[in-house]
Amino acid sequence: MNGPAPGARVPRTLVAGVGNIFLGDDGFGVETLRRLTREELPVSVELTDVGVRGVHLAYELLEGWDTLVLLDVTARGGEPGTLYLIDASTAEDRGTEPAPLDGHRMTPDAVLALLDTLCAGTGAAPPRRILVVGCEPACLDEGIGLSPQVAAAVPEAVRMVTELVRQEAVV
């Protein structure tokens, strides 16, 4: 039998594109999300362009998502355009030092570090799974447009996310 049983609750997945399109490869998450809008995804998947609005992401995470997939640049020392799939599902995976709440500096890692505190204060539950599809940047200088290496990685990132959300929809 494919999918959940009749009447069963379908797990909800939020895919959030993060980044600043005015800083070169930092626009990876936003561009990947834009391309995902062309894909046929399960109805339980919502796409949101967070951009640089980390506070928006923080509030969105309080809405009862089962899975969060973040799309962002991730500098880990690899070759530019390298894709990473990072599981940040536990507090240890995302860092336990809560960052100060600053609406102008709420990066995704700051939001994730505060996630348990935000949920405790509101009674919400954090997503069961938090996955980051990250891409090694080549250039984060001012300017619009992705480097050739990161632009070439976007179709593979779209494929990865499409596969992930289809798997999550039947978990």
Side-chain angles (χ1 to χ4, degrees):
M1 178 170 158
N2 287 336
R9 187 174 92 61
V10 176
R12 296 177 61 220
T13 299
L14 176 66
V15 179
V18 178
N20 186 337
I21 63 167
F22 299 110
L23 295 177
D25 289 341
D26 197 38
F28 164 79
V30 174
E31 178 58 21
T32 302
L33 187 84
R34 186 182 72 78
R35 301 253 190 111
L36 278 164
T37 63
R38 302 177 195 160
E39 299 296 314
E40 190 172 319
L41 301 173
V43 295
S44 59
V45 175
E46 185 173 317
L47 304 175
T48 187
D49 178 352
V50 176
V52 295
R53 300 179 324 266
V55 171
H56 175 75
L57 176 60
Y59 284 115
E60 188 65 43
L61 291 176
L62 301 177
E63 296 298 319
W65 299 100
D66 297 289
T67 301
L68 167 65
V69 179
L70 280 174
L71 308 170
D72 200 3
V73 290
T74 307
R76 300 185 83 165
E79 290 293 318
T82 301
L83 292 174
Y84 306 105
L85 178 59
I86 303 161
D87 190 334
S89 298
T90 66
E92 295 79 36
D93 295 330
R94 36 182 200 266
T96 54
E97 290 299 316
L101 189 56
D102 178 345
H104 300 288
R105 292 193 180 97
M106 288 293 289
T107 61
D109 46 347
V111 170
L112 294 178
L114 282 169
L115 186 57
D116 293 324
T117 303
L118 292 170
C119 288
T122 63
R128 178 181 50 80
R129 291 192 72 197
I130 299 173
L131 303 169
V132 178
V133 174
C135 184
E136 188 74 40
C139 179
L140 297 173
D141 296 338
E142 285 186 22
I144 297 176
L146 302 176
S147 67
Q149 301 96 318
V150 171
V154 170
E156 177 61 16
V158 168
R159 189 198 63 72
M160 283 175 66
V161 172
T162 301
E163 196 172 286
L164 284 169
V165 299
R166 286 181 180 150
Q167 290 171 3
E168 290 300 308
V170 295
V171 170

